[in-house]
């Protein structure tokens, strides 16, 4: 009974970690797309920093 519970617990932990990693990949892709759109849409203000919407 105990080994079965350990195997089920391990499967649950691995499934949770896999789901969390997949969710983090989606978050990273969304942030990358938002950054790319902001980089392109910030305008032709090459010299000044007033057009920036981020600090770096």
């Amino acid at each position: 009974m105990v080994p079965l519970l350990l195997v089920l617990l391990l499967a649950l932990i691995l499934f949770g970690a896999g789901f969390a990693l997949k969710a983090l990949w989606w978050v990273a892709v969304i942030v990358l797309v938002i950054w790319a759109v902001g980089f392109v849409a910030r305008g032709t203000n090459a010299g000044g920093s007033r057009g920036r919407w981020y600090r770096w």
Side-chain angles (χ1 to χ4, degrees), residues 1-49:
M1 182 72 177
V2 173
L4 179 64
L5 289 175
L6 288 176
V7 168
L8 289 174
L9 183 63
L10 181 65
L12 185 64
I13 290 172
L14 290 177
F15 174 75
F19 178 76
L21 287 175
K22 186 170 175 118
L24 285 176
W25 273 110
W26 279 110
V27 169
V29 167
I30 291 169
V31 168
L32 180 66
V33 167
I34 290 172
W35 177 81
V37 167
F39 184 77
V40 170
R42 70 178 176 173
T44 58
N45 191 1
S49 63

